[in-house]
Amino acid sequence: MKKIYKFPEGFWWGSASSAEQSEGKGNTGKGKTIWDHWFEIEKNRFFDEVGPDVTSDFFNRYKEDIKLMKSLSHNSFRMSLSWARLFPNGDGEVNEKAVEFYNNVINTFIDNDVKPFVNLYHFDMPMAMQEKGGWESKEVVEAYANYADTCFELFGDRIEYWFTFNEPLGPVLGGYMQDFHYPNIIDFKRAAQVAFNTILAHAKAVEKFKKHNLKSKIGIILNLSPTYPRSSNKCDVEAARICDLFYNRSFLDPCVKGSFPKKLVDILKKYEQMPVYTQEDIETIKENTAQILGINYYEPRRAKAKENVVNPNSPFMPEWLFDPYILPGRKFNPYRGWEIYEKGILDLCNDVKENYGNIEGFISENGMGVADEARFIENGQINDKYRIEFIKGHLKYIHKAIEEGCNIKGYHLWTFIDCWSWMNAYKNRYGLVSLDLLTQKRTVKKSGEFYKLLSENNGFEE
Ligand code: NOJ
């Protein structure tokens, strides 16, 4: 028998993207970001040596792109503002041409009845700010708070949902622990400082936001992975708990509850990895928590007890305390190497319900990156059945989460039009709409048609 998966009325159906990954440089006099800089000095680190200069040219094509979203029945979309576009030096005077561009974009969304959700920071540190120390510097935290404040002032009257950061863990891991973002440093103590200062910057932006007395809400978007132990052996359970503290609770607790997990702090103290902070910073974090939570879910994390003794001469890493575990027989996406575990989304939502006051939330990203999608072209259109299955598989569990009382208001797919994916550039495609990189031609994929019906029917049948 067929089952109908209907979602609550007013459910947000849409997708998400970011400035650096879709806009291209444009002609507003955008300042360089760390991505522009890194690409300039190390092109070889980017797939096919494609950099962030043009990407999907949203800067010039936003009108058609937003119309296309409307025609695929999106009711909402998450974009990000580029700090380096609005403030080419990171601070100082706001760039009026950039203000005009974003006013036009926001107004076009509103005219098309697609609600813009606006994120302030998506991995795109202005290079001028990185030169001042990036997130290691308190001066940069202040400049970010000022940038956020300016955005609330300029665009606050038209935006219902604001987000301070997207996946703040990304730059910590990539930039300071695992070498996949600039500045390519390997140093956990500095990573901890970057994480702390990002959390402080989030809180300072929330503090500024509240002063504007807007009717809208502000939150944060976190990439969360439910963390499972290899077995019920107590050593594995403890390993998974520590892994979870480092990679989920480190941001979730301070951003939603206003405090850091004690056990995590104890571990950092024991290994002499604590960041520098003041009591005032702790108060700011406590008083300015998120009002809405975006959950990016792609894959679960699995951990087991360490099998080998740690090399004491290697730099400290969370993995000194557990080993990652790869589930034999797992379903996975070979292009990204990520496990696909649909039920993980239910476990995450229930975790937020039970341990984080059931804060208003939504799935702000979920999606599947696939390489060489041209091989699936049938009659001029990519027939991406796998993506439709992926979406449905996750939606079934989101539906269940809502039935179980989770406060989940919407689902945004990553992404609308294939976009530039950092070091992977255009290798893996995630869009509902394909992009021909040479001509910039957009073509709706099968998943785009499916998504349109999904939104119009507020659910699906299977
Ligand atoms: C999460 C990030 O927010 C986004 O920038 C990225 O492209 C997608 N994941 C896909 O990897």
Side-chain angles (χ1 to χ4, degrees):
M1 234 202 21
K2 283 200 168 171
K3 179 161 176 187
I4 299 175
Y5 296 89
K6 265 270 177 231
F7 286 79
E9 207 172 312
F11 201 69
W12 305 327
W13 294 109
S15 55
S17 188
S18 83
E20 194 79 354
Q21 296 180 269
S22 61
E23 285 177 3
K25 199 165 166 189
N27 61 8
T28 60
K30 183 182 175 203
K32 267 189 201 161
T33 64
I34 52 173
W35 294 95
D36 296 310
H37 175 73
W38 191 20
F39 183 69
E40 252 171 46
I41 59 169
E42 260 193 311
K43 285 196 179 40
N44 57 308
R45 300 287 306 268
F46 294 81
F47 184 78
D48 271 351
E49 302 202 347
V50 174
D53 233 35
V54 180
T55 66
S56 314
D57 197 29
F58 183 75
F59 183 89
N60 294 306
R61 296 169 197 260
Y62 68 90
K63 288 195 182 118
E64 298 103 277
D65 288 351
I66 295 171
K67 274 205 190 98
L68 190 57
M69 277 177 211
K70 174 73 192 160
S71 77
L72 294 189
S73 300
H74 267 37
N75 59 24
S76 47
F77 178 78
R78 170 168 54 105
M79 57 180 279
S80 77
L81 301 174
S82 163
W83 181 2
R85 187 181 296 289
L86 284 158
F87 290 92
N89 294 315
D91 54 11
E93 289 297 301
V94 69
N95 180 331
E96 287 306 333
K97 284 191 189 154
V99 175
E100 192 190 335
F101 167 65
Y102 284 125
N103 269 326
N104 290 339
V105 170
I106 290 169
N107 294 340
T108 308
F109 272 116
I110 293 170
D111 292 345
N112 281 281
D113 247 341
V114 179
K115 237 176 232 167
F117 290 19
V118 174
N119 170 36
L120 294 165
Y121 188 90
H122 196 125
F123 304 171
D124 50 350
M125 178 66 80
M127 193 55 203
M129 291 283 105
Q130 189 63 41
E131 278 160 1
K132 293 196 167 163
W135 291 120
E136 286 181 87
S137 148
K138 290 271 154 64
E139 195 186 334
V140 171
V141 172
E142 289 309 323
Y144 166 83
N146 175 61
Y147 151 64
D149 197 28
T150 309
C151 295
F152 305 141
E153 180 69 39
L154 290 168
F155 314 116
D157 55 333
R158 283 156 291 159
I159 305 303
E160 278 181 50
Y161 294 99
W162 287 94
F163 298 92
T164 54
F165 285 88
N166 169 79
E167 299 196 355
L169 180 65
V172 175
L173 282 182
Y176 297 83
M177 290 162 70
Q178 295 178 2
D179 188 28
F180 61 89
H181 282 199
Y182 191 80
N184 314 89
I185 286 163
I186 304 288
D187 185 328
F188 185 85
K189 195 166 179 176
R190 292 174 70 178
Q193 190 69 58
V194 166
F196 183 86
N197 286 357
T198 313
I199 293 162
L200 180 62
H202 154 79
K204 288 202 176 216
V206 173
E207 188 175 38
K208 297 270 189 207
F209 176 82
K210 291 199 263 192
K211 295 207 172 105
H212 288 266
N213 281 321
L214 298 164
K215 281 193 230 83
S216 43
K217 284 194 170 183
I218 188 159
I220 191 162
I221 289 164
L222 300 178
N223 47 320
L224 299 175
S225 293
T227 305
Y228 305 104
R230 166 180 60 180
S231 74
S232 57
N233 183 302
K234 69 176 189 326
C235 302
D236 283 344
V237 171
E238 181 59 6
R241 186 166 159 231
I242 295 175
C243 172
D244 182 44
L245 281 173
F246 274 98
Y247 293 131
N248 292 313
R249 316 281 157 195
S250 49
F251 281 94
L252 198 45
D253 279 31
C255 295
V256 178
K257 290 184 183 166
S259 61
F260 291 88
K262 181 170 177 311
K263 171 134 182 166
L264 179 62
V265 175
D266 289 347
I267 295 173
L268 296 195
K269 283 189 178 152
K270 179 170 167 200
Y271 289 91
E272 298 178 358
Q273 300 293 329
M274 281 291 280
V276 176
Y277 63 91
T278 65
Q279 202 42 45
E280 197 187 333
D281 297 342
I282 298 293
E283 285 303 311
T284 306
I285 292 169
K286 189 168 158 215
E287 295 307 319
N288 298 287
T289 53
Q291 301 162 349
I292 175 168
L293 177 68
I295 299 172
N296 288 0
Y297 176 65
Y298 288 89
E299 54 165 353
R301 251 197 208 91
R302 300 187 189 271
K304 63 181 179 185
K306 272 219 87 62
E307 295 199 336
N308 298 305
V309 173
V310 165
N311 170 6
N313 296 322
S314 64
F316 174 81
M317 286 291 157
E319 289 71 15
W320 274 28
L321 305 170
F322 59 86
D323 276 345
Y325 179 62
I326 296 176
L327 186 74
R330 75 203 194 281
K331 174 151 116 182
F332 84 117
N333 172 358
Y335 314 100
R336 208 59 184 77
W338 286 345
E339 179 179 344
I340 298 176
Y341 183 62
E342 295 91 342
K343 179 175 172 284
I345 214 161
L346 172 65
D347 295 340
L348 263 182
C349 294
N350 273 323
D351 182 3
V352 171
K353 178 179 86 180
E354 278 151 30
N355 302 311
Y356 296 88
N358 209 9
I359 181 175
E360 178 176 26
F362 72 117
I363 305 306
S364 40
E365 275 186 42
N366 177 229
M368 193 181 185
V370 173
D372 304 322
E373 281 196 307
R375 67 201 141 116
F376 303 113
I377 292 181
E378 287 169 15
N379 306 318
Q381 181 187 45
I382 292 172
N383 186 356
D384 51 345
K385 295 186 207 124
Y386 42 87
R387 183 166 289 109
I388 299 175
E389 287 314 306
F390 181 97
I391 297 171
K392 282 194 204 160
H394 286 84
L395 282 175
K396 286 180 191 167
Y397 281 104
I398 297 169
H399 188 265
K400 190 160 162 47
I402 296 169
E403 277 179 347
E404 290 178 11
C406 299
N407 197 3
I408 297 295
K409 296 291 173 63
Y411 179 83
H412 280 181
L413 186 82
W414 186 269
T415 184
F416 186 62
I417 299 171
D418 291 339
C419 69
W420 185 76
S421 288
W422 316 111
M423 284 171 71
N424 276 336
Y426 278 91
K427 174 176 171 284
N428 297 321
R429 306 299 185 101
Y430 290 82
L432 294 169
V433 176
S434 72
L435 176 81
D436 181 329
L437 205 47
L438 292 177
T439 61
Q440 286 288 342
K441 185 168 181 270
R442 281 93 163 114
T443 312
V444 176
K445 300 180 194 174
K446 263 275 179 281
S447 58
E449 291 172 355
F450 160 78
Y451 210 76
K452 176 179 163 70
L453 291 176
L454 180 65
S455 169
E456 285 169 4
N457 298 326
N458 201 24
F460 64 101
E461 204 179 89
E462 201 174 67

